[in-house]
Amino acid sequence: MRTGRKGETKSKAGMGMARLPTLQGGYNNDPRVLAELEELKQENDVLREKIKKLEGKVVEIARSKGEVEGLREEEEKAGAESMGSMRARLAQREEEVDKLKKEIEERISQSAQVVSMKKIIQQKNEQINGLKERLQKYEKVA
């Protein structure tokens, strides 16, 4: 209860506020309770330190993750660029190989030995055809 200006008493309950009950002995000076309270404070401090360390590790891991992702992206770009240049060089080398093959075939087909062999083969084919014709004449007669 409170007293108003002119000595009137007003109830807190009447004002919409309830009064909390007080501890009977006031502040407790029991050494066991004080020791337990001190232990809990120390444990709380230890846990706060652990939380700070873990938060630091989380930040470090997040930073490392970002760096790794950045490096991975750079390597992918570099790999894609080098892959493109390697494909271009491969295509160029394949063209060179095709040109060299054609050149070699042309040289071989124009060499004296090949020309001579072609003539010999043509003559032998003509001989074979002539022999076939003669053989057919004799087979028809018999």
Side-chain angles (χ1 to χ4, degrees), residues 52-123:
K52 284 182 184 178
K53 287 180 184 178
L54 290 174
E55 286 174 344
K57 286 182 180 180
V58 167
V59 168
E60 183 179 331
I61 289 170
R63 187 178 317 119
S64 295
K65 180 183 175 187
E67 289 174 2
V68 167
E69 287 178 354
L71 289 173
R72 182 184 54 82
E73 289 173 2
E74 287 177 18
E75 287 179 4
E76 284 178 357
K77 283 182 182 178
E81 290 173 0
S82 69
M83 189 67 136
S85 67
M86 290 175 75
R87 285 184 179 153
R89 287 194 318 224
L90 177 63
Q92 183 181 9
R93 297 288 189 240
E94 286 175 344
E95 288 177 19
E96 289 176 13
V97 167
D98 288 340
K99 287 179 183 177
L100 290 174
K101 281 182 180 179
K102 287 178 183 177
E103 187 178 317
I104 288 171
E105 287 175 9
E106 192 175 310
R107 284 183 183 175
I108 289 175
S109 68
Q110 291 176 358
S111 71
Q113 294 170 340
V114 172
V115 171
S116 166
M117 187 173 296
K118 283 182 182 179
K119 285 181 183 177
I120 293 171
I121 291 174
Q122 188 175 0
Q123 288 173 356

Side-chain angles (χ1 to χ4, degrees), residues 3-10:
T3 308
R5 284 189 191 158
K6 297 181 182 178
E8 297 174 351
T9 56
K10 295 182 180 178

Side-chain angles (χ1 to χ4, degrees), residues 129-139:
N129 287 335
L131 290 173
K132 282 182 184 178
E133 287 176 10
R134 285 176 56 193
L135 185 62
Q136 283 179 351
K137 287 181 186 177
Y138 289 112
E139 286 183 356

